[in-house]
Amino acid sequence: CRFSQMLHPIFEEASNVIKEEYPDKNQVVFARVDCDQHSDIAQRYRISKYPTLKLFRNGMMMKREYRGQRSVTAIADYIRQQKSNPIREVQDLEEITSLDRSRRNIIGYFEQKDSDNYRTFERVANILHDDCVFFSAFGAISKAERFSGDNVIYKPPGENAPDMVYLGSLTNFDLIYAWTQDKCVPLVREITFENGEELTEEGLPFLILFHMKDDLESLEKFQQEVARQLIGEKGTINFLHADCDKFRHPLLHIQKIPADCPVIAIDSFRHMYVFPDFSDLSVPGKLKQFVLDLHSGKLHREFHHGPDPTDVAPGQPIQDLASSPPESSFQKLAPSEHRYTLLREKDEL
């Protein structure tokens, strides 16, 4: 791979620069994987384009890969940024009252910084600092919030949204990480041209609500039904919402226009299926069955062979991009200035 060969000396020089600044070999490790020789590793981490730079913390792969400039300075700066403290220390509890409530805030109150409780909190913050803003307070400053010991709370977006308290063990990394991730990563996330590739790399199909930007009512209904019907499917499919105006090209490909929004669709990366009628969203079990039909292969089967003889098709399958779609489909998609359009050829990322 010519691009891998071009990056190799840059990557190696960046590792030498960082080694000078962080001589402890356990602080930062640079590694290379030949994916021809180690295809099992490439498959495990869904690597399909080269070169790819992934960041791992405490053995966990971060969902955001490095997409910055491929230069020694840029890569070294990225590592320095990753090594910076993701937690802002509060000097006065009055600072908490002026937090940006449009953000998701996690606040830890600890008796002392040199403690197992805080070290666990720090590990979690290092992984999730792109999704939440983390704060900490210690000693006398935090005493008023430590009436029953060290404490971690979540302040959700919204001025009047009530706080949520973590009730598990503060030294159990798995428990506090799962709790914090649940609070920091919304069940239904917005997909944009900036994060589309990142979401694709998670390897899960998409359940997408296309809605107009100011149509918050449809978004709220979708969020409620996803939480009500599909919470058990978290981890098997990504729940997303997209701006109809920005994603006109995918809408055209499924024979829709912004005036048709709100529209719900599944992108399986092989086909795209449309939920029959948005007004059916609140029908008990309807949305869940749509997703279950994806997992069972029913949507795929009906795509190729038509509706099952005894069933009405739960979704309308749209042109398979892995086959040979009409030229007009690509003509409609081609003018987009963005490389990512939600719809890809089978082997393209």
Side-chain angles (χ1 to χ4, degrees), residues 69-190:
Q69 187 179 0
R70 303 298 174 90
S71 70
V72 173
T73 300
I75 293 174
D77 284 344
Y78 172 72
I79 296 300
R80 294 184 191 105
Q81 179 186 0
Q82 293 298 319
K83 288 294 292 179
S84 63
N85 191 345
I87 305 172
R88 173 182 156 190
E89 184 173 341
V90 172
Q91 302 300 329
D92 189 318
L93 290 186
E94 284 296 317
E95 296 178 40
I96 302 299
T97 63
S98 59
L99 293 181
D100 180 357
R101 294 306 298 266
S102 68
R103 306 290 303 274
R104 297 168 183 271
N105 299 293
I106 301 286
I107 307 162
Y109 300 99
F110 303 94
E111 183 177 1
Q112 55 186 3
K113 183 177 289 190
D114 184 17
S115 66
D116 290 339
N117 286 351
Y118 180 70
R119 280 188 282 271
T120 306
F121 183 73
E122 195 172 32
R123 285 180 64 193
V124 172
N126 273 315
I127 296 170
L128 294 172
H129 64 87
D130 287 332
D131 302 294
C132 266
V133 184
F134 287 82
F135 299 87
S136 62
F138 302 96
I141 296 172
S142 67
K143 188 174 182 180
E145 296 288 341
R146 290 189 292 104
F147 43 86
S148 59
D150 289 354
N151 191 25
V152 172
I153 68 166
Y154 166 60
K155 286 185 176 293
E159 291 296 332
N160 300 316
D163 295 348
M164 303 178 71
V165 181
Y166 173 69
L167 300 176
S169 167
L170 285 171
T171 57
N172 187 317
F173 171 79
D174 291 334
L175 280 180
I176 192 170
Y177 173 75
W179 181 86
T180 308
Q181 183 185 47
D182 181 65
K183 304 300 177 285
C184 293
V185 181
L187 184 59
V188 178
R189 293 176 282 177
E190 182 178 11

Side-chain angles (χ1 to χ4, degrees), residues 135-279:
F135 299 87
S136 62
F138 302 96
I141 296 172
S142 67
K143 188 174 182 180
E145 296 288 341
R146 290 189 292 104
F147 43 86
S148 59
D150 289 354
N151 191 25
V152 172
I153 68 166
Y154 166 60
K155 286 185 176 293
E159 291 296 332
N160 300 316
D163 295 348
M164 303 178 71
V165 181
Y166 173 69
L167 300 176
S169 167
L170 285 171
T171 57
N172 187 317
F173 171 79
D174 291 334
L175 280 180
I176 192 170
Y177 173 75
W179 181 86
T180 308
Q181 183 185 47
D182 181 65
K183 304 300 177 285
C184 293
V185 181
L187 184 59
V188 178
R189 293 176 282 177
E190 182 178 11
I191 184 168
T192 65
F193 292 115
E194 290 72 31
N195 69 1
E197 188 175 0
E198 172 189 308
L199 290 169
T200 302
E201 286 164 357
E202 294 182 14
L204 300 176
F206 296 163
L207 176 68
I208 313 168
L209 167 70
F210 294 94
H211 68 107
M212 301 305 291
K213 186 176 182 179
D214 58 354
D215 180 13
L216 301 181
E217 182 180 350
S218 294
L219 175 57
E220 185 177 354
K221 287 180 181 178
F222 182 69
Q223 290 171 327
Q224 288 174 351
E225 291 306 321
V226 167
R228 183 178 292 122
Q229 299 186 41
L230 296 172
I231 191 66
E233 295 299 319
K234 187 178 181 181
T236 69
I237 189 167
N238 272 330
F239 309 116
L240 307 171
H241 68 100
D243 185 330
C244 285
D245 273 329
K246 291 182 179 178
F247 285 87
R248 285 173 178 264
H249 292 291
L251 282 174
L252 284 172
H253 196 72
I254 59 175
Q255 303 170 9
K256 302 289 184 181
I257 60 175
D260 296 319
C261 290
V263 173
I264 298 173
I266 286 177
D267 183 355
S268 72
F269 305 145
R270 298 181 65 188
H271 309 285
M272 204 160 177
Y273 311 94
V274 178
F275 188 67
D277 192 334
F278 182 82
S279 62

Side-chain angles (χ1 to χ4, degrees), residues 7-24 28-32 71-73 75-77 79-80:
L7 180 60
H8 179 201
I10 296 171
F11 188 71
E12 187 166 355
E13 179 59 26
S15 74
N16 291 332
V17 170
I18 292 299
K19 186 177 180 180
E20 292 288 327
E21 297 182 29
Y22 303 98
D24 183 345
V28 182
V29 176
F30 278 69
R32 289 188 296 128
S71 70
V72 173
T73 300
I75 293 174
D77 284 344
I79 296 300
R80 294 184 191 105

